[in-house]
Amino acid sequence: MAFRDKELRTPGPVLVDGRQLKRYHIDQLERPLEAAVEKAAYDMLPVLLGEFVDDGTPAAGWVVLHRGGDTGAYLLAYTWVWDNALEVRVAAAGQPALNCPDDDPTHFVEVRRPAVGCVWELAVLEHERAAWVHHMLAPDRPNLAGYLFDTRAEGPVGR
C-alpha cells in the first residue's frame, strides 16, 4: 500500500481533570472519525491521564485521536512536565497488534509500549514543540492562552 496523507482537524481545546488540552483529530476523507469512536476515546482520557501531579508546569498539552485505515483507533495524550519535557500516554482500540481484545474501534485499552506516535501523529508534535517554546518558554511572561489557541493548520497531514 502506498503512503498517503490523512486529514487533520482541530476541534478546539478541552479541560480534563484540571488539564487544558488541545485536540487534534486525524482520519481519512472517505471515512471521517465516527462519533462513537470520539465519545469512547474522550471517556477513556481521564483514565489514561491518571492523577495530575503538579510540578509547577502549567497543566497543558494536547490529545491526538487518530482513526486508522483498518479497524484501529489511537488516542495519544501528551502533557508538558518539568517546564520543557513531555509525557505521553497512549490507548488503542480495535488493533490486535497492540493487545486490544477485539477489533471494536470504541473499545480502548491502555498501551504500555514506549510509543510516541506514528508519522501522521508526529506532524502535530513538531508544531507543538515550536508552539510551547514560542508561547511558554521564550517570552518574559508565559502565555498559556496563546499556546492553547496555536494549533497546527487543519488539512492534509503526513508529508
Side-chain angles (χ1 to χ4, degrees):
M1 182 167 102
F3 179 83
R4 54 181 256 202
D5 284 338
K6 294 187 178 183
E7 195 66 20
L8 176 75
R9 292 179 295 112
T10 58
V14 63
L15 182 65
V16 177
D17 291 342
R19 289 183 182 97
Q20 297 181 78
L21 302 168
K22 300 180 196 185
R23 294 187 301 158
Y24 293 96
H25 291 177
I26 300 172
D27 57 19
Q28 289 78 209
L29 282 174
E30 67 277 4
R31 190 177 76 175
L33 185 66
E34 302 95 329
V37 172
E38 184 177 343
K39 181 185 181 328
Y42 286 102
D43 286 349
M44 175 67 173
L45 195 52
V47 174
L48 188 62
L49 289 170
E51 191 172 315
F52 175 68
V53 177
D54 185 0
D55 70 357
T57 304
W62 72 95
V63 174
V64 176
L65 177 55
H66 179 184
R67 186 66 161 96
D70 54 12
T71 57
Y74 312 93
L75 178 65
L76 298 93
Y78 298 89
T79 54
W80 291 103
V81 296
W82 308 318
D83 290 330
N84 60 14
L86 277 176
E87 285 187 355
V88 63
R89 292 187 176 88
V90 180
Q95 182 52 265
L98 294 175
N99 296 322
C100 294
D102 51 43
D103 62 0
D104 178 354
T106 67
H107 189 184
F108 282 90
V109 296
E110 189 170 356
V111 174
R112 299 268 181 191
R113 297 175 70 167
V116 213
C118 71
V119 295
W120 294 280
E121 298 152 0
L122 291 176
V124 173
L125 192 143
E126 290 171 331
H127 174 87
E128 288 300 315
R129 186 209 65 81
W132 187 257
V133 170
H134 178 76
H135 294 286
M136 300 299 293
L137 299 180
D140 291 336
R141 299 177 80 191
N143 179 359
L144 183 59
Y147 168 74
L148 291 171
F149 288 98
D150 183 348
T151 58
R152 189 178 194 283
E154 291 187 324
V157 65
R159 293 182 201 241

